Every structure is written in structure tokens, then in C-alpha cells.
Amino acid sequence: SLVARRLAPNRRVLCAAPEYLRRHGEPRDLRDLSRHKLLTAGPQIIWRMEGPEGPVTYKPQSILQTNSSEVVREAVVSGMGIGFRSTWDVGTELKPGVLKRVMPAYSGASDVNIYAVYSGRRLVPPKVRAFVDFLVGLFGSEIPYWDRDIGPMVVGGTREG
């Protein structure tokens, strides 16, 4: 009995701090990732990506034990390793170069999105409808504000943006 309204795509990228990449080098392909320090939150068991060969999954071995996405974000920014982060979370660090995209031919699965979920009652309260409409206006483009100026994304093996 719930309604889900799509607000925006939830794009994910592999990224690391430039200092980490200076010390450890940049991975060139998925096999290279196993030689790097990877950072994930507990629930992120598998990285679902799309790349030149189509959809792929990668099971990272994290050097960090946490269930906090915020802790992983801060660890990536501080140079501890490579993370697979949503662009809404790290877009402000990608734009000025605080973080750098790693293996840009790979990005998160294109079928992951951000939704507003609310009660599917017949009469939705006006304040709920107004709030959801506000979010649609704020995020509701194919290229949300946090994805602008961070470079093209791979979607289904082709570049977008």
C-alpha cells in the first residue's frame, strides 16, 4: 500500500583521494582492485557495476569494519583507500579534485535510483504531496545537481553526460 516516486538516479563511482593514488597507484581493471585497500560499509557486500564488458559484480574485501556509510566516506576522503560511493555523497569532493574517479569506465548499475516513498492512501495529505513535489523539482532531472561537472558516467556500456 505504498507509493514510490522516482526522484533521481543514484549513480555510483569508484573514487579515492589523490594522495592515496600517489602512494599506491591507480587500478586499471577489476583484477587490480584486489591489490588495493578497499573501503565499504557492512551492508555493501557486492559492488554492482556496469563497464566495457556490460554488467559486472565485484566482491570487495574491505580493510574497514563499519556499518556507517559516513565513516566510509570520510575514510575515502582522508586517503585510506578506494570506495564505491554515490555521487550525491561525494560530488562536492569530485568537482574540485579532493577525490578522483578511479577506473571511470566503470560506474554503478544504472537501475539504482532515489525514491520518495509514502503511504498509498487514496487521499494523500496536501503537505506530503507538496513535499514530494518539492523533492521532484529539486532532484527531478536525469542529471541532478550533484552529478553536474563531475564527468560522464557509463550507463549500459555507453557514456552519458
Side-chain angles (χ1 to χ4, degrees), residues 15-22 75-81 97-100:
C15 58
E19 179 58 30
Y20 172 85
L21 297 172
R22 275 193 288 280
V76 171
V77 169
S78 71
M80 286 182 62
V98 172
L99 289 178
K100 181 179 178 195

Side-chain angles (χ1 to χ4, degrees), residues 52-147:
E53 66 275 7
V56 295
T57 56
Y58 184 83
K59 185 170 175 56
Q61 298 300 312
S62 183
I63 64 164
L64 182 64
Q65 297 286 323
T66 183
N67 65 354
S68 171
S69 190
E70 290 84 7
V71 168
V72 172
R73 179 190 178 287
E74 292 305 313
V76 171
V77 169
S78 71
M80 286 182 62
I82 297 172
F84 188 50
R85 309 300 305 150
S86 294
T87 56
W88 60 260
D89 188 32
V90 295
T92 56
E93 286 76 21
L94 289 168
K95 290 175 189 177
V98 172
L99 289 178
K100 181 179 178 195
R101 284 186 64 186
V102 175
M103 296 170 39
Y106 291 87
S107 60
S110 61
D111 63 351
V112 180
N113 296 288
I114 300 169
Y115 289 89
V117 180
Y118 53 94
S119 174
R121 294 181 291 171
R122 189 176 178 144
L123 297 174
V124 176
K127 61 185 170 185
V128 171
R129 185 170 305 282
F131 182 63
V132 171
D133 288 345
F134 168 76
L135 292 175
V136 167
L138 184 62
F139 307 140
S141 74
E142 278 306 305
I143 302 176
Y145 68 85
W146 56 80
D147 279 350

Side-chain angles (χ1 to χ4, degrees), residues 11-14 50 87 94 101-108 143 146-155 157-161:
R11 295 182 172 102
R12 294 186 184 125
V13 296
L14 293 162
E50 293 177 2
T87 56
L94 289 168
R101 284 186 64 186
V102 175
M103 296 170 39
Y106 291 87
S107 60
I143 302 176
W146 56 80
D147 279 350
R148 294 184 193 128
D149 303 322
I150 63 169
M153 303 294 288
V154 174
V155 177
T158 58
R159 298 185 92 61
E160 127 185 325

